[in-house]
Amino acid sequence: MRRVAPRVRFAPSPTGYLHVGGARTALFNWLYARRHGGTFVLRIEDTDVERSSADMVTGILEGLRWLGLDWNEGPEVGGPHAPYFQSERLDRYRTAASQLLTAGHAYYCYCSADRLREEREKAEARGEAWRYDRACLSLSAEKVSELEAAGAPRAIRFKVRTGSTGFDDQVKGRIEFDTAHIEDFVILRSDLYPTYHLSVVVDDIDMAITDVIRGDDHISNTPKHVLLFEAFGATTPRFAHVPLILGADKKRLSKRHGATSVTEYRRQGYLAEAMVNFLALLGWSPGDDRELMSMNELVESFSLDGISGGNAVFNTEKLDWMNGQYIARLPVDQLAKAVEPFLGEAGLWPPLVSGIDQAWLHRLLDLLRPRAKRLTDFVDLARPFLVDTVEFDPEAIEKHLSTSGLAGHIAALKGTLDTAIPFDEPHVETAVRGSAAERGIKPGVLIHAVRVAVTGRTTSPGLFEVLALLGKARTIARLDRLLLFLATRS
Ligand code: GLU
């Protein structure tokens, strides 16, 4: 059977940032839509007015855009089912609730919160789970008039039918349930705001959603939704509940495990492409052992069959590894664009030192990138190259600047380096090794000391490349500074 192109949705509640779990759900929906030539709808579920905020909406949109998850319908782009904010669809939910009342699928409930709480407590004291006792289903007409006359607040409850029902979850398989375990849940509160169950189902119907792909924390809600779809006489979408994301300690991923918001990962120097690749593999696999996959490859390989039933573990080392792989492969002009804001924030870019241009920055980034896992790593790695004078690490001084006769060796090296023409890697290497041989010392003595002179540190990329990149003038100036330092120490 040829199915119509799917319509899927990502439906965040803007009560928090776009977190890793939400981003992964959005990505799976997006990939599914792209794979099958479908439509990806973004719907903002902001009926909880107190906990929702416009800032959170902005943050969510920004996070999705950063990851490259553009939506076909939704905020800012509009679409045939607008508005895509639930707070702007309240009348629709009220009408839908009335429709269920009229059809006998729902009824008014006048029970006070106090009564419900008391009944629940009593049941709990008996060791029983309490479900709404349908007290308001059998109210006499007089009682109803009395309550109405007194202006008693009334909610609307869904009348759960007897029997059983179920759905074929695309990840978990068939799920059957006995409706005896489901209470007559509220669909419209006394303040006329819908509960999540009502608004989500009404919107999924109105927006012609064919497939609901969401976190499996919603799996216990789905039976209620299936009953609602049925009561509305609508086709039930297919469901796919994706497994939770756990931290390394196998507990549900939370702030305790570090960053959970997608924007935070961006700030920490992860590339969007790496983040997407990593998120895609959280609970999904292409069915072979591929790990590094571009967005196009993900789209081509994505299927709900590849989603594992078990929970996925968020492994930060793997993310770092993956990010390093993307940093290593990124075209250098794009890498520069990505790194510049981080350098800028550290006051290192635009450069304070003259003679540094884009082409030079590209050479520097190529030199440093094998050592970077995150874009933020470039700040520390690039610092010695972008400042006028470097500070010597105490450890480096101790280790490499106490060789006796060092000042003489360095002074001699300066002379040899001056003859390195052009001042490129092979000529620099010849000069350093030649100078060491002439002085009767191991090249390592010079290499280590010069590294401290030019970077302040005990480690750096290959020294000859470093010197060639710094250029003759800056190298000689740093050697002079080393000589000054040695002179003041002795
Ligand atoms: N607004 C719900 C949430 O953020 C989404 C529900 C759904 O996908 O059905 O958890």
Side-chain angles (χ1 to χ4, degrees):
M1 184 183 69
R2 187 81 187 87
R3 281 173 50 87
V4 291
R7 291 179 54 84
V8 295
R9 84 301 194 277
F10 175 54
S13 305
T15 53
Y17 297 104
L18 178 64
H19 57 85
V20 168
R24 198 245 343 223
T25 300
L27 173 62
F28 284 4
N29 276 283
W30 187 93
L31 288 172
Y32 188 74
R34 289 289 176 275
R35 173 81 185 90
H36 300 286
T39 302
F40 176 57
V41 177
L42 174 61
R43 180 172 77 224
I44 304 295
E45 304 210 322
D46 55 352
T47 53
D48 186 343
V49 184
E50 266 166 27
R51 294 177 55 227
S52 301
S53 84
D55 280 356
M56 294 300 174
V57 174
T58 310
I60 290 170
L61 301 192
E62 239 176 57
L64 291 173
R65 286 210 172 99
W66 176 60
L67 293 171
L69 306 181
D70 49 337
W71 48 99
N72 305 104
E73 294 175 25
E76 294 176 8
V77 305
H81 303 283
Y84 292 91
F85 285 84
Q86 289 194 329
S87 58
E88 295 170 25
R89 304 174 65 82
L90 296 173
D91 284 345
R92 177 70 190 100
Y93 311 131
R94 290 166 192 161
T95 309
S98 305
Q99 192 187 326
L100 292 181
L101 275 176
T102 312
H105 288 302
Y107 58 94
Y108 284 118
C109 172
Y110 301 89
C111 293
S112 68
D114 284 348
R115 169 180 184 263
L116 297 175
R117 186 169 12 86
E118 274 163 31
E119 293 297 334
R120 176 160 289 117
E121 282 168 6
K122 273 194 258 168
E124 276 164 11
R126 293 192 302 271
E128 291 167 15
W130 193 72
R131 278 190 295 280
Y132 181 64
D133 55 6
R134 296 192 152 172
C136 291
L137 188 56
S138 48
L139 291 179
S140 65
E142 291 78 23
K143 185 68 186 162
V144 170
S145 315
E146 202 180 291
L147 287 161
E148 289 286 335
R154 58 180 197 189
I156 297 179
R157 283 187 189 270
F158 182 68
K159 194 161 113 198
V160 174
R161 65 161 174 79
T162 54
S164 70
T165 185
F167 57 96
D168 293 309
D169 191 276
Q170 301 301 301
V171 176
K172 320 245 169 202
R174 179 78 189 161
I175 297 182
E176 289 278 351
F177 53 92
D178 180 348
T179 63
H181 301 298
I182 304 171
E183 73 170 358
D184 289 352
F185 54 93
V186 172
I187 53 174
L188 198 75
R189 294 183 225 279
S190 57
D191 62 6
L192 300 181
Y193 273 83
T195 58
Y196 156 67
H197 305 303
L198 179 65
S199 53
V200 85
V201 169
V202 168
D203 285 351
D204 285 344
I205 295 171
D206 286 358
M207 297 178 183
I209 299 302
T210 58
D211 296 79
V212 171
I213 305 168
R214 62 183 172 197
D216 70 5
D217 47 336
H218 283 293
I219 208 155
S220 61
N221 295 322
T222 306
K224 293 177 181 162
H225 300 176
V226 170
L227 291 169
L228 280 170
F229 280 107
E230 188 184 287
F232 281 117
T235 312
T236 306
R238 299 198 305 174
F239 289 96
H241 289 92
V242 303
L244 282 184
I245 302 176
L246 307 179
D249 57 0
K250 307 281 155 67
K251 301 240 168 69
R252 191 181 173 160
L253 194 69
S254 74
K255 287 249 171 349
R256 277 181 305 114
H257 299 101
T260 53
S261 109
V262 164
T263 326
E264 181 62 18
Y265 283 93
R266 178 188 202 171
R267 273 196 342 100
Q268 289 184 1
Y270 292 96
L271 289 165
E273 296 84 346
M275 200 70 203
V276 162
N277 191 160
F278 176 77
L279 289 174
L281 297 179
L282 278 179
W284 174 80
S285 129
D288 48 40
D289 52 11
R290 272 179 300 165
E291 291 217 285
L292 293 176
M293 296 176 76
S294 68
M295 197 65 132
N296 282 342
E297 288 171 303
L298 290 171
V299 169
E300 272 160 28
S301 321
F302 191 76
S303 91
L304 297 177
D305 299 341
I307 297 178
S308 77
N311 289 327
V313 175
F314 191 101
N315 179 339
T316 310
E317 282 97 69
K318 181 167 172 185
L319 172 60
D320 282 349
W321 168 79
M322 209 170 249
N323 204 51
Q325 296 296 313
Y326 275 85
I327 286 178
R329 288 166 173 72
L330 200 61
V332 74
D333 52 329
Q334 287 178 40
L335 181 62
K337 249 201 216 111
V339 171
E340 276 172 23
F342 291 96
L343 295 178
E345 214 173 290
L348 295 171
W349 197 263
L352 302 168
V353 186
S354 60
I356 292 180
D357 59 11
Q358 275 294 330
W360 188 89
L361 179 68
H362 290 180
R363 280 175 68 200
L364 174 63
L365 296 180
D366 276 334
L367 183 63
L368 300 178
R369 64 164 122 194
R371 304 175 156 246
K373 288 207 156 49
R374 303 180 187 186
L375 298 174
T376 43
D377 292 342
F378 284 101
V379 172
D380 190 51
L381 291 169
R383 188 180 301 279
F385 297 87
L386 297 172
V387 292
D388 252 334
T389 40
V390 295
E391 299 302 321
F392 304 154
D393 282 351
E395 185 208 337
I397 296 173
E398 170 96 10
K399 238 171 131 180
H400 299 308
L401 300 188
S402 20
T403 317
S404 67
L406 186 60
H409 302 322
I410 296 292
L413 174 66
K414 262 181 60 185
T416 325
L417 278 176
D418 209 30
T419 65
I421 299 170
F423 200 76
D424 59 10
E425 198 190 328
H427 287 88
V428 166
E429 174 162 8
T430 309
V432 173
R433 292 195 189 282
S435 189
E438 230 166 72
R439 305 283 299 177
I441 53 171
K442 288 199 189 118
V445 172
L446 283 184
I447 291 172
H448 292 314
V450 173
R451 174 173 286 122
V452 181
V454 298
T455 68
R457 305 173 183 173
T458 55
T459 56
S460 78
L463 182 74
F464 308 125
E465 279 174 281
V466 166
L467 298 187
L469 184 64
L470 275 175
K472 190 181 278 183
R474 291 177 83 197
T475 297
I476 300 290
R478 287 180 189 203
L479 292 182
D480 280 336
R481 208 172 144 262
L482 173 61
L483 287 174
L484 202 64
F485 173 83
L486 293 174
T488 53
R489 273 224 322 170
S490 53

